[in-house]
């Protein structure tokens, strides 16, 4: 589903850049889903075109931690920023929305991960691409499949549907949320 609010710059910028979005704590702008929608709005205001947005999913926290469930999604974006500048931009949005980095896999107001940058393969410096954890996370792969059903892992060449089928799944791990007609993003 192509995003209805593409900017005029979209025609000159190439997509194929995928950003995973997640949150399980309220921020100053509202509950997790609203925070993710605000992050997408900040992309647009800074010249990062949002070409497509997945459905939103509610997911169990990684590692069975005792914390609230997450809201997750994936956006396809287009930008002239290189991977380093884009990662810096994403971290700036996280910070502006109240993200604090203290421990790995802790609850957070927002998490923005660069999953794939036009198939670029790199082991460093940050960002490592494709994102090394993406293939083991259903909360990344299912929304990525919404926006890029023909996506293949840049290193292994595996199709996204094969990667999804290979992951274990328990009842309640991930559930697609109903569209939010107020925002028009789902």
């Amino acid at each position: 589903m192509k995003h209805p609010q593409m900017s005029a710059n979209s025609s000159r910028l190439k997509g194929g850049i995928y950003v995973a979005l997640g949150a399980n704590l309220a921020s100053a702008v509202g509950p997790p889903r609203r925070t993710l929608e605000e992050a997408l709005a900040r992309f647009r205001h800074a010249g990062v075109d949002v070409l497509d947005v997945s459905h939103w999913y509610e997911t169990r926290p990684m590692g069975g931690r005792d914390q609230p469930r997450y809201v997750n999604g994936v956006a396809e974006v287009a930008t002239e920023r290189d991977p380093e500048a884009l990662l810096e931009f994403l971290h700036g949005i996280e910070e502006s929305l109240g993200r604090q980095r203290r421990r790995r896999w802790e609850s957070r107001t927002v998490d923005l991960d660069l999953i794939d940058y036009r198939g670029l393969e790199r082991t460093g410096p940050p960002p490592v691409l494709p994102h090394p954890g993406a293939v083991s996370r259903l909360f990344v792969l299912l929304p990525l499949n919404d926006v890029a059903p023909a996506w293949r892992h840049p290193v292994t060449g595996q199709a996204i549907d094969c990667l999804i089928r290979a992951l274990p799944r328990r009842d309640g791990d991930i559930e697609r949320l109903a569209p939010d007609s107020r925002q028009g993003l789902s």
Side-chain angles (χ1 to χ4, degrees):
M1 70 182 152
K2 290 298 170 200
H3 198 277
Q5 298 176 349
M6 290 178 12
S7 79
N9 292 334
S10 298
S11 62
R12 67 180 173 82
L13 298 178
K14 183 176 161 190
I17 302 169
Y18 301 99
V19 176
L21 303 96
N24 73 337
L25 296 177
S27 71
V29 299
R33 184 167 169 167
R34 176 67 195 110
T35 301
L36 300 179
E37 292 164 346
E38 175 63 24
L40 290 171
R42 292 181 185 194
F43 285 18
R44 290 184 201 95
H45 287 87
V48 175
D49 291 339
V50 177
L51 303 178
D52 202 356
V53 180
S54 71
H55 294 281
W56 296 116
Y57 292 83
E58 185 180 84
T59 63
R60 188 183 316 253
M62 282 186 65
R65 293 177 161 43
D66 185 25
Q67 56 181 264
R69 290 176 67 82
Y70 279 78
V71 175
N72 292 99
V74 167
E76 180 182 11
V77 301
T79 182
E80 293 177 348
R81 297 170 197 249
D82 63 29
E84 295 86 358
L86 182 57
L87 182 63
E88 184 178 328
F89 169 74
L90 296 175
H91 286 170
I93 290 177
E94 288 177 341
E95 187 177 315
S96 73
L97 290 170
R99 168 86 187 261
Q100 296 178 7
R101 295 176 186 272
R102 294 180 295 244
R103 287 178 294 142
R104 188 174 190 194
W105 297 334
E106 67 184 340
S107 292
R108 56 202 61 177
T109 56
V110 65
D111 186 23
L112 304 173
D113 288 330
L114 183 55
I115 301 301
D116 185 7
Y117 189 98
R118 300 181 184 129
L120 183 63
E121 297 175 34
R122 60 186 268 177
T123 57
V128 173
L129 291 166
H131 189 287
V135 297
S136 63
R137 298 174 180 169
L138 201 54
F139 62 84
V140 171
L141 293 178
L142 281 179
L144 180 59
N145 190 53
D146 287 347
V147 298
W151 184 84
R152 290 185 168 276
H153 192 278
V155 175
T156 67
Q158 288 180 285
I160 192 166
D161 57 335
C162 293
L163 292 167
I164 289 169
R165 282 194 308 270
L167 291 178
R169 193 184 309 197
R170 298 176 308 182
D171 284 344
D173 278 350
I174 187 164
E175 298 171 20
R176 193 167 97 182
L177 296 174
D180 183 354
S181 60
R182 291 179 303 110
Q183 298 299 322
L185 295 174
S186 299

